[in-house]
Amino acid sequence: MTRLIEKLTTLSVKKINKAGDYSDGAVLWLRVSHAGAKSWMFRFSFEKKIIK
């Protein structure tokens, strides 16, 4: 079965203000700090270990 990827859009990223990690449905994550700073994180697995 095909997995759908719900990509984060520019508008949805601008609207996110709550601290946490937000997935695009694949390996790209948006991390929002408690101070409101936003950064991107690329997560992948290597030998069954998640690498951040």
Side-chain angles (χ1 to χ4, degrees):
M1 176 177 269
T2 304
R3 187 173 129 193
L4 296 176
I5 297 176
E6 297 178 22
K7 295 182 179 180
L8 294 172
T9 64
T10 304
L11 184 59
S12 65
V13 169
K14 287 181 181 180
K15 288 183 177 182
I16 296 173
N17 294 320
K18 188 177 178 184
D21 294 337
Y22 300 88
S23 173
D24 74 339
V27 296
L28 191 62
W29 290 74
L30 175 68
R31 175 167 279 176
V32 180
S33 72
H34 292 287
K38 297 177 182 175
S39 60
W40 291 100
M41 181 173 50
F42 181 76
R43 294 180 68 181
F44 64 96
S45 61
F46 179 73
E47 295 180 356
K48 298 183 182 181
K49 295 179 184 177
I50 295 179
I51 311 295
K52 295 181 190 180

